[in-house]
Amino acid sequence: MGIRTKLALSYAAIVIVAGTILLAVVWLFLLRYVPDTQIPLRGPFVPGRSDLERAFWPRAGWAFAFLVAFGLAGGWFLAGRMLAPLNEITRATRAATEGSLSHRIRMTGRGDEFGELADAFDGMLERIEAHVDEQRRFAANASHELRTPLAITRSMLDVARTDPGADVAATLARLSATNDRAIALTEALLALAATDRADAPQMRVDLSLAAEHAVETLVGLAEDGGIAVDVAGEAAYTSGSEALLWQLAVNLLHNGIVHNSPGGWVRVETSTQSDQAVLTIENTGEWIPDEVIPTLVEPFQRQAGRTRVDGREGSGLGLAVAQRIVEAHGGTLVLAARAAGGLRAEVRLLAAPPDAG
């Protein structure tokens, strides 16, 4: 039986039970006290209990049958009215199952539990649709980005194969550079995908140690570009994935080094402010318009005319990975252009409670 049938039978059963109780009350508290013989009184006829029963029970039976029919019909109607919003939610669920994520219930005029369920379902569909669209765009962009170095490699190999006088050393150098770019892009994609995993171990992480690890990792790159790196601050503990938080520090510092000016500097500072652990990385470099700042955390978005000290073309994923890592840890990443040129990146994460040990 469907839920509407069950509800209709339940409503009818309540009506039947109420009618039965009413008839029992009439019998127990009224008819049972009437004598079974006629009362010898002068004047009009006074019926006895048998007379009353013969007059009452047939009519009571018809009334009881009416109550049963009314309970079933009324219960069926009321159940349909109550379940109408659920039917709308069911249709929307089936449409979403078939791939139509743009369908919305938009239930109006109801402030009950069904209305709250419909609003929650619409909100869930909006988030799923946005996530699916983002994944589709990301897959398309990733395919395009990965296709580019492979196409360049194939082109160089075709030229080397068909041109006997090709410079082998130059071709190998270009192949090596193209291969390095493909490897860096693949590693960035893997890092971006890692931020979506929910099984990353949670532990107590000191952002100052993550910053020192990033400096040790990129000190060679900074020296090659003539960039001075200064690390300062205090221990700033937060909870999360140690590997991802270290990757966050590396990405932000790498961005500050490569998007800089020859002879420039990068300052890395950690601190604890109230209930937040703060990591700040500030660097010199070219002036960045304010309207460009929000686009820097979008995947594969490269600012036109923004050069790198190493002369290479970036993947456009460094800050996007950083943004995903911060979001996965429930924090905020604020980017701001420096008036003198360059960028200031500030990460705020929830501070970890004091170590019990």
Side-chain angles (χ1 to χ4, degrees):
M1 290 188 298
I3 188 171
R4 185 176 185 181
T5 303
K6 293 179 181 179
L7 287 176
L9 292 178
S10 300
Y11 294 151
I14 293 175
V15 173
I16 292 171
V17 171
T20 302
I21 294 175
L22 179 61
L23 294 177
V25 169
V26 172
W27 167 254
L28 293 175
F29 295 99
L30 294 177
L31 293 181
R32 65 178 297 187
Y33 294 110
V34 177
D36 196 21
T37 58
Q38 294 184 2
I39 302 175
L41 295 175
R42 296 178 181 179
F45 169 75
V46 178
R49 186 171 61 185
S50 299
D51 299 320
L52 293 177
E53 288 177 349
R54 284 192 297 271
F56 174 74
W57 288 119
R59 292 170 176 80
W62 284 109
F64 193 79
F66 172 78
L67 286 177
V68 172
F70 180 78
L72 289 173
W76 183 263
F77 174 76
L78 290 177
R81 294 275 296 178
M82 292 296 297
L83 295 177
L86 186 60
N87 293 332
E88 294 184 23
I89 298 175
T90 302
R91 286 192 293 269
T93 304
R94 289 174 177 170
T97 303
E98 295 172 357
S100 177
L101 298 177
S102 60
H103 180 74
R104 299 290 183 272
I105 301 173
R106 293 188 176 89
M107 189 175 297
T108 58
R110 297 186 69 94
D112 55 10
E113 289 80 358
F114 282 120
E116 294 178 359
L117 178 61
D119 293 341
F121 187 81
D122 286 344
M124 180 188 67
L125 281 182
E126 290 179 2
R127 290 190 296 273
I128 293 177
E129 184 179 20
H131 181 71
V132 170
D133 291 341
E134 180 183 356
Q135 292 299 318
R136 288 173 179 171
R137 291 193 302 270
F138 178 78
N141 291 332
S143 300
H144 172 75
E145 295 291 332
L146 288 172
R147 188 186 302 114
T148 300
L150 295 176
I152 294 174
T153 300
R154 184 178 63 182
S155 176
M156 287 188 294
L157 291 175
D158 290 341
V159 171
R161 185 170 51 250
T162 58
D163 185 7
D167 188 344
V168 177
T171 301
L172 290 177
R174 293 180 60 193
L175 285 173
S176 178
T178 304
N179 186 64
D180 290 343
R181 179 174 180 269
I183 292 175
L185 178 59
T186 303
E187 291 176 348
L189 290 173
L190 291 175
L192 190 62
T195 62
D196 295 329
R197 292 203 306 265
D199 57 349
Q202 300 293 306
M203 57 190 306
R204 185 179 169 89
V205 181
D206 184 0
L207 291 182
S208 65
L209 293 181
E212 293 177 2
H213 166 76
V215 173
E216 293 173 357
T217 303
L218 300 173
V219 62
L221 179 63
E223 291 176 351
D224 292 341
I227 307 299
V229 179
D230 179 35
V231 184
E234 58 186 14
Y237 288 95
T238 186
S239 298
S241 167
E242 183 179 49
L244 290 181
L245 291 175
W246 284 29
Q247 183 67 44
L248 167 66
V250 168
N251 282 25
L252 292 178
L253 180 58
H254 183 272
N255 182 81
I257 293 174
V258 299
H259 296 291
N260 212 313
S261 303
W265 50 261
V266 179
R267 294 196 184 102
V268 183
E269 183 178 359
T270 57
S271 62
T272 300
Q273 301 177 9
S274 183
D275 60 345
Q276 293 181 327
V278 182
L279 168 65
T280 305
I281 297 181
E282 188 174 2
N283 63 272
T284 56
E286 299 177 357
W287 179 75
I288 305 175
D290 291 337
E291 60 272 14
V292 175
I293 295 297
T295 67
L296 297 180
V297 295
E298 295 295 328
F300 308 108
Q301 297 298 316
R302 307 180 184 91
Q303 181 187 350
R306 194 179 183 201
T307 59
R308 291 168 48 122
V309 295
D310 56 2
R312 299 181 180 181
E313 182 182 2
S315 65
L317 286 173
L319 291 179
V321 172
Q323 175 73 7
R324 291 283 186 88
I325 294 175
V326 172
E327 291 177 351
H329 287 79
T332 58
L333 170 62
V334 179
L335 302 179
R338 299 179 67 250
L343 188 69
R344 184 178 190 273
E346 182 181 80
V347 176
R348 289 184 173 270
L349 302 172
L350 185 64
D355 191 358

